[in-house]
Amino acid sequence: MTVLTTSHLRPRDVVRVGGAGLRARPLRVFLSALGIAIGIAAMLGVVGISASSQEDLNRQLEALGTNLLTVSPGQTLFGEESHLPAEAEGMIGQIAPVTSVTATGTTPAKVHRNDQIPAAETGSISVTAARLDLLQDTGVTVVSGAWLNAATHRYPATVLGAKAADRLGVVQAGPDQRVWLGGQWFTVVGVLAPAPLAPELDTAALVGWPVAEERLDFDGCSTTIYARAQEEHVVAVRDVLGATANPEKPNEVEVSGPSDVLAAKQATDATLNALLLGLGGVALLVGGVGVANTMVISVLERRAEIGLRRSLGATKGQIRLQFLVESLLLSAIGGVGGVLLGIGVTGAYAGFQGWPAIVPVWAMVGGVLATLVIGGIAGFYPAVRAARMSPTEALATP
């Protein structure tokens, strides 16, 4: 037990006395600090994972571009599906800020793994005619085989989207990989990576435009048009795309920016983040209650020490400060531990997802400051209670 008189009670002495009180009960201190650490780790983990996800999204958008616009048929006034004019693709290409245009068209054909599977079991895979420049404009890459070219787009060859390949059980493309498409065998010449800006391609079996018209009863009309515009003119181009694609019925055209979908998904994730932050706050509150409980018990156990210090000249303010500092130290231990744990959780999860690990500095500093506030609140009553003890009462306690 450390006994200090009034004249020797310097700031470092207060910290030393508070630290001595914690060292005397290591298990209790550990459990109380653990409650604080879990709360801080939960909150920091949510913020860090959210920031890492946002950074990954920003990198995706930077790589894929935010200037891709999609034009598709909407609905008529009677709720029926409309159609884009045959000239829509060419007219969109005439807009000055538009740098490239490509399109896909849905065919009535179905695709199956082999000719023994019932026709009704399609696996929700569409057969889609595609222009040769589709990948260049949408930013999709091929993970196996190759994309359609000037030769293969005229023959029974297909490139499968990521989900389509998985549902059909095609691991990789090759001359021996065939699927039953439109009542005939098509060779799988390529498999695509997931398409974040054009998710409809993930569940499509893509074929060349000429072969679709010749063998799959395709009418040659575009059902989705992809247009790249100059970055500074994206909004202006989006405003005129509907009227350009279908001048007679612009209200029957849907125009969207696929990058907006990714941003909307990020906003949706924010709702879950708010819930998790709330749970972290509850855990932090529970940790604060644990600190308060530890400090109250500490005051009861150390009444003899308090009485001795008071009889040797320590003031009520010094006793109060001693226990308040002890509470702050306990909370700081939990806070620093929680920050380290939160960084570890964020790094592990971001690494598993393939994201860059981002933990904002403000979140780390805020986490430690939050624990100090919790510690100050939790230790206030025990500190006041200890200061109110009279020396004779405290020394008389067995």
Side-chain angles (χ1 to χ4, degrees):
M1 179 181 66
T2 304
V3 180
L4 296 170
T5 64
T6 304
S7 60
H8 293 101
L9 196 56
R10 293 167 295 184
R12 66 177 183 180
D13 295 327
V14 177
V15 174
R16 183 159 55 88
V17 172
L22 296 180
R23 290 193 297 271
R25 290 163 293 279
L27 181 59
R28 187 184 302 166
V29 168
F30 171 76
L31 294 177
S32 297
L34 182 62
I36 290 285
I38 291 174
I40 291 298
M43 299 179 73
L44 191 65
V46 170
V47 173
I49 291 173
S50 177
S52 300
S53 175
Q54 181 67 50
E55 180 64 20
D56 180 68
L57 173 62
N58 292 339
R59 292 188 180 186
Q60 285 187 53
L61 294 179
E62 184 178 352
L64 298 173
T66 58
N67 62 336
L68 178 66
L69 297 170
T70 302
V71 179
S72 56
Q75 292 184 333
T76 65
L77 294 175
F78 302 100
E80 300 176 352
E81 185 176 351
S82 63
H83 300 278
L84 294 175
E87 303 82 8
E89 188 178 348
M91 291 189 294
I92 290 175
Q94 297 300 314
I95 302 175
V98 171
T99 57
S100 62
V101 180
T102 189
T104 59
T106 303
T107 75
K110 306 298 179 183
V111 60
H112 302 87
R113 187 66 181 92
N114 55 58
D115 56 354
Q116 302 301 314
I117 297 176
E121 298 181 10
T122 63
S124 300
I125 303 173
S126 63
V127 177
T128 303
R131 300 292 190 191
L132 292 182
D133 55 359
L134 178 66
L135 297 196
Q136 177 183 345
D137 287 358
T138 57
V140 187
T141 58
V142 178
V143 294
S144 177
W147 176 240
L148 300 170
N149 55 41
T152 57
H153 83 138
R154 297 183 177 276
Y155 295 95
T158 181
V159 176
L160 301 178
K163 293 182 180 179
D166 182 64
R167 294 173 186 177
L168 291 172
V170 177
V171 178
Q172 60 182 8
D176 57 339
Q177 287 286 359
R178 299 192 301 169
V179 292
W180 187 249
L181 193 155
Q184 53 196 299
W185 291 106
F186 272 61
T187 302
V188 179
V189 297
V191 176
L192 300 181
L197 293 186
E200 62 276 4
L201 300 181
D202 291 341
T203 55
L206 300 160
V207 298
W209 210 275
V211 74
E213 293 178 318
E214 295 172 5
R215 302 194 181 199
L216 303 177
D217 297 324
F218 176 49
D219 59 9
C221 293
S222 304
T223 52
T224 303
I225 299 175
Y226 303 94
R228 289 275 184 182
Q230 297 173 6
E231 291 282 355
E232 63 272 19
H233 298 296
V234 170
V235 175
V237 171
R238 181 166 53 186
D239 292 340
V240 301
L241 273 181
T244 304
N246 192 346
E248 295 182 358
K249 301 175 181 178
N251 58 305
E252 295 182 3
V253 179
E254 292 186 357
V255 180
S256 63
S259 59
D260 295 341
V261 176
L262 295 180
K265 178 181 179 298
Q266 188 72 25
T268 302
D269 292 342
T271 303
L272 178 60
N273 291 341
L275 174 61
L276 295 177
L277 281 173
L279 294 177
V282 172
L284 186 59
L285 179 61
V286 171
V289 173
V291 171
N293 181 63
T294 297
M295 295 309 301
V296 169
I297 294 177
S298 178
V299 170
L300 295 177
E301 290 180 342
R302 297 160 63 188
R303 283 179 290 190
E305 175 191 340
I306 295 170
L308 181 57
R309 289 202 59 213
R310 288 296 310 280
S311 64
L312 292 176
T315 65
K316 290 184 178 181
Q318 291 169 349
I319 297 295
R320 185 165 51 245
L321 183 60
Q322 172 191 344
F323 282 90
L324 188 59
V325 168
E326 188 172 323
S327 177
L328 291 173
L329 288 174
L330 176 57
S331 298
I333 292 172
V336 173
V339 167
L340 296 176
L341 181 59
I343 293 173
V345 169
T346 300
Y349 188 82
F352 177 76
Q353 294 290 340
W355 299 342
I358 304 294
V359 181
V361 175
W362 65 263
M364 294 186 286
V365 175
V368 175
L369 292 178
T371 59
L372 294 178
V373 172
I374 291 292
I377 296 174
F380 180 75
Y381 170 74
V384 171
R385 180 171 180 174
R388 286 178 177 174
M389 287 186 179
S390 65
T392 54
E393 177 189 352
L395 290 173
T397 304

